[in-house]
Amino acid sequence: SAQDKNALHLYSVNGKYLGSETLKEEVSDMCVTGEYIVMGSLQGFLSIRDLYSLSLSISPLAMRLPIHCISVTKEYSHILVGLEDGKLIIVGVGKPAEV
């Protein structure tokens, strides 16, 4: 992050540059799970991106407060989001019938 420019860069295990994506928000925490990157921002958005293309998998979810931490359950069924005011938001992952 430098002067209101934030970017996510992707490198291979061997250090080869694979691509990047410019971000509108300032990332406060991120978690890599399976084939996805789950990110939280200081602007209060929860984003899920494809690990290989860095494109958004779904539209960012507005949490209305800065996100301080993110965790994903080991079954990948829920995302736990810690907000600035101390609240813990639990987001179900999958189709509505599965959640």
Side-chain angles (χ1 to χ4, degrees):
S1 170
Q3 303 230 344
D4 298 326
K5 290 193 176 189
N6 300 294
L8 187 62
H9 300 281
L10 180 65
Y11 291 87
S12 72
V13 174
N14 298 327
K16 180 181 175 187
Y17 176 77
L18 299 175
S20 65
E21 185 73 29
T22 303
L23 305 174
K24 295 177 184 174
E25 303 95 27
E26 185 176 347
V27 176
S28 56
D29 195 18
M30 73 169 45
C31 183
V32 176
T33 56
E35 297 181 4
Y36 297 97
I37 303 170
V38 182
M39 298 187 317
S41 71
L42 292 178
Q43 288 73 26
F45 290 100
L46 177 68
S47 304
I48 301 174
R49 293 181 174 270
D50 181 84
L51 179 60
Y52 304 107
S53 68
L54 300 180
S55 62
L56 284 170
S57 296
I58 62 166
S59 297
L61 301 171
M63 298 289 148
R64 300 180 190 225
L65 288 171
I67 296 173
H68 279 228
C69 61
I70 291 179
S71 182
V72 178
T73 59
K74 68 179 179 177
E75 299 86 17
Y76 305 124
S77 60
H78 293 84
I79 300 170
L80 309 174
V81 182
L83 301 180
E84 182 179 55
D85 64 354
K87 289 181 183 167
L88 176 66
I89 306 295
I90 301 172
V91 180
V93 178
K95 297 175 184 160
E98 296 171 355
V99 178

